[in-house]
Amino acid sequence: MELSQYLDAEGIILDDEIIGKLEGFAVLLHEWNQVHNLTGARSVAAIYDNIVDSLYPLAFIKIPKTLLDVGTGAGFPGLVLAIALPETEVVLAEPLKKRVSFLKYATMDLGLKNVKVEAKRVESVEHEAFDMISSRAVTNTKLLLDLTSRISDEHTEYLFYKGSRVFDEIAQVEGQMSYDIIQKNQRNYLYIKNET
């Protein structure tokens, strides 16, 4: 099955150029993964599933001008979102060298002008407050909010890709938050919105 069929099945509408770049990313990741073990997604079909998982929130988020992805790994969701949102300035924070090498190569190969790869842990990233901070499978919500406190402000929104523990994690965060949890299959998308 082609990527466009996966996207159509979820109602994700993207232009052909973006779909072509996403397919190019999938081929690159599949090739690199056979040597460098970057992700558990072993087939192109499994990579397509991860692409759809990364893109699904485009249906309900406010599109940011700046986005930080914490612990991008093999590109999910940060690099995938960067491909789909060419007008958004995207910073990918990833400390592991082999993943950084892949992310930098993919960014160059796909001609992504809106991406900067930071080979460091998120607490070392220097930047003005981001419009949105995303993360998938890095750490718990409270710690993510703490780790990104220097590069966020009252306007920053958060998009965290979570599993079943999201409800427990929300309970651990003190203070009032405006948020939605959007459930899809085994995924819980935690979307913390600003109050403005």
Side-chain angles (χ1 to χ4, degrees):
M1 200 157 68
E2 292 183 11
L3 178 58
S4 57
Q5 294 169 282
Y6 283 74
L7 297 172
D8 289 346
E10 300 299 337
I12 299 169
I13 312 296
L14 298 169
D15 70 38
D16 290 344
E17 184 184 353
I18 287 173
I19 293 172
K21 285 188 176 183
L22 289 167
E23 288 170 340
F25 162 73
V27 169
L28 272 180
L29 179 53
H30 186 249
E31 287 172 359
W32 275 63
N33 202 38
Q34 292 175 21
V35 178
H36 300 290
N37 193 24
L38 299 169
T39 174
R42 299 272 172 239
S43 65
V44 171
I47 293 169
Y48 284 175
D49 285 335
N50 280 275
I51 289 173
V52 170
D53 175 54
S54 297
L55 293 176
Y56 188 75
L58 294 180
F60 57 80
I61 64 168
K62 188 165 70 185
I63 302 302
K65 289 188 174 65
T66 60
L67 169 71
L68 168 69
D69 189 50
V70 179
T72 305
F76 307 118
L79 191 62
V80 173
L81 290 171
I83 294 169
L85 301 172
E87 301 302 311
T88 299
E89 175 205 326
V90 179
V91 175
L92 308 176
E94 171 55 55
L96 289 180
K97 283 193 172 74
K98 68 179 179 177
R99 291 174 175 169
V100 167
S101 296
F102 170 71
L103 294 170
K104 286 185 172 180
Y105 182 83
T107 298
M108 274 189 338
D109 192 69
L110 299 168
L112 304 177
K113 306 277 187 258
N114 61 325
V115 176
K116 181 179 180 196
V117 180
E118 292 272 14
K120 56 181 75 163
R121 300 175 68 84
V122 66
E123 52 269 42
S124 303
V125 172
E126 303 277 336
H127 199 280
E128 60 197 36
F130 286 90
D131 290 347
M132 179 171 281
I133 296 173
S134 63
S135 184
R136 186 179 99 162
V138 172
T139 188
N140 70 68
T141 300
K142 185 176 187 323
L143 187 55
L144 276 169
L145 294 173
D146 290 345
L147 290 173
T148 57
S149 61
R150 289 186 311 100
I151 45 179
S152 61
D153 63 17
E154 71 276 10
H155 303 294
T156 302
E157 298 195 321
Y158 298 87
L159 176 63
F160 295 154
Y161 295 62
K162 293 290 183 179
S164 57
R165 290 196 303 271
V166 67
F167 301 98
D168 296 333
E169 290 184 18
I170 282 291
Q172 294 168 5
V173 178
E174 287 109 38
Q176 291 293 88
M177 280 190 318
S178 171
Y179 67 90
D180 287 328
I181 295 173
I182 294 88
Q183 296 180 290
K184 183 176 185 325
N185 303 326
Q186 302 304 306
R187 170 71 67 214
N188 288 302
Y189 299 98
L190 173 59
Y191 181 33
I192 303 173
K193 300 182 246 187
N194 65 40
E195 302 297 330
T196 55

